[in-house]
Amino acid sequence: MRPVTPPPPTAARVSAVGPSPVREILALTARPEVINFAGGLPAPELFDVEGLRAAYDRVLTANPQRALQYSTTEGDLDLRTAVAARLTGRGLATGPDDLLVTTGSQQALALLATALLEPGDVVLVEDPCYLAALQCFGFAGAKVVPVPTDGDGIDPAALAEIARRERPKLLYLVPTFQNPTGRTLPGERRRAVAQVAADLGFWIVEDDPYGELRYDGEPEPWIAADPAAADRTALLGSFSKILAPGLRLGYLRAPAALRRACVIAKQAADLHTSTVDQAAAARYLRDSDLDAHVAKIRSAYRERRDAMLAGLPAALPAGSGWNQPAGGMFLWVTLPGGLDATALLATAVEHEVAYVPGAPFFVAAPDQGALRLSFTTHAPDEIEEGLRRLAKAIEDHL
Ligand code: PMP
């Protein structure tokens, strides 16, 4: 017998970054009897299945050879033209050539990391921060440095101080209805952030998958639209939350040189995003009324958010705090008096209700009493029942 030499191990970065704790929790809570406030999933009963089926039908009937063929890395011109018109309509002048279609906005994050980051480069993030962004910057070997936040998001004064010290390559933020907190950065802070980036010379990655899910108030302008930071901001958008996440369609709007660098990174990653899915989305945007569809989602989610806000005072112990997000999918809770949200989860799951503990989202010392509640996937009566179960779980746990 010849000796067998084992293959080398996987790269150290895989174990250094590790799996997403949220995805692990989702696996634990996937039982159908669990009322699940943990997932960040859009409500599947609101998908416009008919509209999408019709769009795929038309694409595969009208021009199947094109829809099924390889295509350009930049993405379907009809789709980019439609997205550019939507962005322009919302106050950010954009042409189709300013855009790169990505396989979900998650891919845009990976491409930006490849295009911009050397190992050891500093990336500034909101603390707490979207987890898969932390994974992405971790894979790039970046040094991730947290910037403190309050109920209005990132603190521009702290940002300036940290940026002066750390000399970051980029700042990553979700300024509107953030994941995990649901917070929105006010206009004044957006301008301050843009100015700090201009003064100190770093890129801004403005991730905006939730902006169209607004239930109250007026939209804040994108940081990408601020003249101070227009030359250094990459804006990420997505069809996941307004159409369907399974399409895996997102886009990146970035200054020319950075966009070209991302195109090169994408050639190596997947050549291009699915041609047939892009064509179907473009067709959907032409034949269906996406704005009317989004309005329908908004009104259902507003009702669900309100049901959760109405149920929280009775469900949570005295001294708990939570915010009232004006949109998005998440609400951020802080439990009082040393109550540990990670330890409480096991009891909650026994009571058939789930949430995501806040701790994994932090880069600096976590707030152990924090947790994220998603209000989108259950109808109001189930939300009420879920909160009753949570109240019982807390009672049992204490
Ligand atoms: N950014 C943020 C802040 C998110 O919450 C998500 C999805 N949960 C994404 C990006 C990725 O979205 P997608 O790839 O589906 O567009």
Side-chain angles (χ1 to χ4, degrees):
M1 281 274 282
R2 285 160 66 166
V4 174
T5 309
T10 56
R13 67 178 82 89
V14 178
S15 41
V17 171
S20 157
V22 171
R23 295 207 157 257
E24 311 258 290
I25 289 166
L26 290 184
L28 278 180
T29 60
R31 304 194 329 258
E33 56 279 16
V34 172
I35 294 184
N36 201 337
F37 301 138
L41 309 183
E45 72 277 15
L46 298 177
F47 292 153
D48 182 5
V49 180
E50 282 309 310
L52 284 168
R53 182 186 291 135
Y56 276 91
D57 260 0
R58 286 187 196 123
V59 157
L60 287 170
T61 306
N63 201 345
Q65 278 80 11
R66 189 167 83 90
L68 297 172
Q69 189 54 281
Y70 280 121
S71 186
T72 59
T73 301
E74 285 79 359
D76 184 293
L77 181 59
D78 292 342
L79 181 59
R80 284 187 289 125
T81 303
V83 169
R86 287 180 71 79
L87 294 178
T88 303
R90 290 168 66 201
L92 182 63
T94 303
D97 291 343
D98 299 324
L99 297 171
L100 166 63
V101 177
T102 56
T103 303
S105 57
Q106 189 64 36
Q107 186 186 44
L109 279 173
L111 299 179
L112 285 163
T114 303
L116 286 173
L117 298 175
E118 312 285 351
D121 277 349
V122 171
V123 172
L124 302 185
V125 298
E126 300 158 289
D127 202 31
C129 175
Y130 169 51
L131 268 178
L134 294 178
Q135 276 185 312
C136 189
F137 301 135
F139 271 125
K143 176 185 171 196
V144 176
V145 175
V147 180
T149 62
D150 60 21
D152 285 335
I154 201 164
D155 171 358
L159 170 67
E161 190 196 314
I162 294 170
R164 236 174 248 119
R165 189 178 70 227
E166 296 282 350
R167 295 277 146 211
K169 195 80 146 301
L170 68 88
L171 163 70
Y172 168 74
L173 78 178
V174 183
T176 307
F177 315 137
Q178 196 232 14
N179 182 1
T181 62
R183 293 169 182 161
T184 292
L185 197 67
E188 207 176 293
R189 286 198 185 188
R190 290 173 191 239
R191 289 188 287 281
V193 165
Q195 199 55 55
V196 174
D199 292 344
L200 299 179
F202 55 84
W203 293 97
I204 297 174
V205 175
E206 180 176 24
D207 188 6
D208 186 30
Y210 302 106
E212 291 196 64
L213 301 179
R214 174 173 281 281
Y215 318 131
D216 314 309
E218 292 303 313
E220 296 289 355
W222 280 299
I223 296 173
D226 189 314
D231 68 341
R232 64 198 59 222
T233 304
L235 175 68
L236 275 45
S238 175
F239 284 101
S240 290
K241 309 294 161 32
I242 55 171
L243 204 49
L247 291 170
R248 307 308 303 126
L249 287 175
Y251 49 89
L252 167 110
R253 179 194 184 276
L258 179 57
R259 197 186 59 253
R260 278 195 293 270
C262 289
V263 168
I264 295 171
K266 187 168 165 69
Q267 287 167 359
D270 66 354
L271 303 180
H272 62 76
T273 294
S274 157
T275 335
V276 62
D277 296 331
Q278 291 186 73
R283 190 76 212 203
Y284 183 93
L285 287 167
R286 204 170 101 188
D287 298 344
S288 294
D289 186 346
L290 179 59
D291 290 327
H293 177 63
V294 173
K296 206 168 107 185
I297 298 175
R298 254 194 239 122
S299 87
Y301 287 179
R302 181 188 293 114
E303 213 185 314
R304 293 172 188 202
R305 177 205 58 179
D306 291 344
M308 187 166 271
L309 286 172
L312 281 176
L316 298 178
S320 301
W322 60 89
N323 59 346
Q324 313 221 350
M329 299 173 56
F330 307 113
L331 197 146
W332 189 245
V333 170
T334 312
L335 299 172
L339 244 174
D340 183 317
T342 308
L344 173 64
L345 180 64
T347 318
V349 173
E350 277 167 27
H351 284 77
E352 299 184 333
V353 62
Y355 57 82
V356 180
F361 298 98
F362 286 91
V363 176
D367 178 346
Q368 298 292 354
L371 58 97
R372 186 189 78 177
L373 293 175
S374 158
F375 51 79
T376 51
T377 27
H378 290 282
D381 57 330
E382 293 167 331
I383 291 176
E384 285 162 27
E385 171 58 21
L387 290 177
R388 277 194 290 273
R389 293 180 190 176
L390 182 61
K392 282 212 199 77
I394 294 172
E395 219 176 272
D396 278 13
H397 187 78
L398 285 174

